[in-house]
Amino acid sequence: MKAPSGSFLFLFAKKYLKKTTKEWELYHGDLIKNLYMTGFSAEDINRDIQEFSGGYKMRAILAGIMCSNPDILLLDEIENHIDSSHLKNIINYLY
């Protein structure tokens, strides 16, 4: 699935991940997987970034951070932005 240039996924990758087009191609699949894991739907990927709440923008940032495969991930009050079912997905991902 290729994200259009005005879509949330494209803008997110450009702004938060600071990726070039070549790097974008490498991260694309991982980012989509992580967005699903944090609660985004297939329809969300093509939506405009301005349509999302602050909580969903935080989820997207977390999905991007997870693409970098961090050794340590410190999360403060993560349950404020992510419901329990998606939090379990993230915990499973980290283990």
Side-chain angles (χ1 to χ4, degrees), residues 30-75:
D30 288 341
L31 182 57
I32 289 176
K33 179 185 74 171
N34 292 343
L35 286 168
Y36 289 152
M37 189 184 313
T38 56
F40 287 90
S41 68
E43 295 81 29
D44 290 336
I45 290 172
N46 293 315
R47 289 175 52 197
D48 187 298
I49 194 168
Q50 299 305 320
E51 296 176 23
F52 290 94
S53 67
Y56 269 85
K57 290 176 184 174
M58 289 299 296
R59 290 177 185 216
I61 292 168
L62 177 60
I65 291 169
M66 290 164 56
C67 284
S68 68
N69 296 317
D71 291 328
I72 297 174
L73 185 60
L74 299 176
L75 303 171

Side-chain angles (χ1 to χ4, degrees), residues 74-91:
L74 299 176
L75 303 171
D76 183 31
E77 298 184 15
I78 191 68
E79 65 278 354
N80 288 350
H81 300 291
I82 297 181
D83 58 44
S84 61
S85 64
H86 295 109
L87 188 56
K88 288 177 186 176
N89 290 340
I90 293 167
I91 291 168

Side-chain angles (χ1 to χ4, degrees), residues 1-49:
M1 174 188 307
K2 194 150 181 111
S5 61
S7 73
F8 168 75
L9 188 58
F10 180 84
L11 293 172
F12 173 79
K14 288 290 191 187
K15 182 173 182 180
Y16 294 105
L17 297 180
K18 308 267 193 266
K19 300 296 179 195
T20 65
T21 302
K22 190 73 163 169
E23 290 170 320
W24 160 251
E25 291 170 4
L26 296 173
Y27 277 89
H28 187 257
D30 288 341
L31 182 57
I32 289 176
K33 179 185 74 171
N34 292 343
L35 286 168
Y36 289 152
M37 189 184 313
T38 56
F40 287 90
S41 68
E43 295 81 29
D44 290 336
I45 290 172
N46 293 315
R47 289 175 52 197
D48 187 298
I49 194 168

